[in-house]
Amino acid sequence: MNMEVVWKQGMAFETHTPSGHTVTLDASEDVGGLDTGPRPTEMLLHATASCTGIDIVSILHKMRQPLESFEMKIDGVRAIDHPKRFTAIHILYILKGEMSEERVRRAIELSVERYCSVSHSLNATLSYSYQLNDGEVTPFELQQ
């Protein structure tokens, strides 16, 4: 995969993705940015959640599970000292629909164990939990 990243001004960089999209990333004003786009660290968390989300939607669709709504809450903990990397990331999957809990767990398991290239690229402890149809939040015991 090849990408082009071009410095625009201040701390802003514009990326041109292989899929033809353009994204501007920037820093906050207090560190010299102009706040014209998300921070790279925000995009890393976004990419992690979205990667597993895409997997889960695809797997549930193949399992013929009627997904009505799906959202994720992601929490990232960063080290205090530079490079201030993410040390822990937790994703809560909130799903609604007339789905088998077994199949929801299996979809999460497949994403976590096998398919999500973003989460497998990180040097952080990842943990997961899910909530199905406003039920209890259930920890997903598998951790990478």
Side-chain angles (χ1 to χ4, degrees):
M1 181 180 302
N2 296 303
M3 294 179 68
E4 179 182 320
V5 180
V6 178
W7 175 65
K8 298 311 277 180
Q9 64 178 340
M11 300 288 178
F13 287 84
E14 186 175 272
T15 68
H16 302 279
T17 68
S19 57
H21 299 279
T22 300
V23 179
T24 299
L25 301 170
D26 200 356
S28 61
E29 292 177 3
D30 63 325
V31 294
L34 298 174
D35 196 24
T36 60
R39 313 299 172 258
T41 50
E42 293 171 342
M43 294 303 292
L44 182 66
L45 289 182
H46 172 85
T48 304
S50 296
C51 182
T52 61
I54 288 169
D55 291 341
I56 292 166
V57 168
S58 175
I59 293 164
L60 288 173
H61 179 74
K62 289 175 185 169
M63 291 178 170
R64 299 179 196 262
Q65 296 296 293
L67 182 63
E68 294 172 14
S69 69
F70 182 25
E71 67 180 77
M72 292 165 276
K73 296 186 180 188
I74 185 164
D75 293 311
V77 177
R78 294 179 66 188
I80 295 170
D81 296 324
H82 288 284
K84 297 184 181 180
R85 71 177 184 86
F86 284 103
T87 58
I89 296 171
H90 181 81
I91 302 174
L92 168 61
Y93 302 106
I94 303 167
L95 305 101
K96 291 186 181 177
E98 294 299 317
M99 296 175 288
S100 156
E101 185 167 356
E102 258 181 57
R103 294 206 173 177
V104 168
R105 285 185 60 81
R106 181 65 179 146
I108 295 169
E109 178 181 48
L110 285 168
S111 176
V112 168
E113 287 185 334
R114 181 180 290 170
Y115 293 117
C116 181
S117 57
V118 175
S119 64
H120 283 277
S121 298
L122 299 174
N123 181 20
T125 301
L126 283 97
S127 61
Y128 309 87
S129 58
Y130 67 92
Q131 181 183 39
L132 181 58
N133 294 321
D134 297 321
E136 295 292 318
V137 172
T138 304
F140 192 78
E141 296 303 322
L142 179 68
Q143 291 198 8
Q144 291 180 313

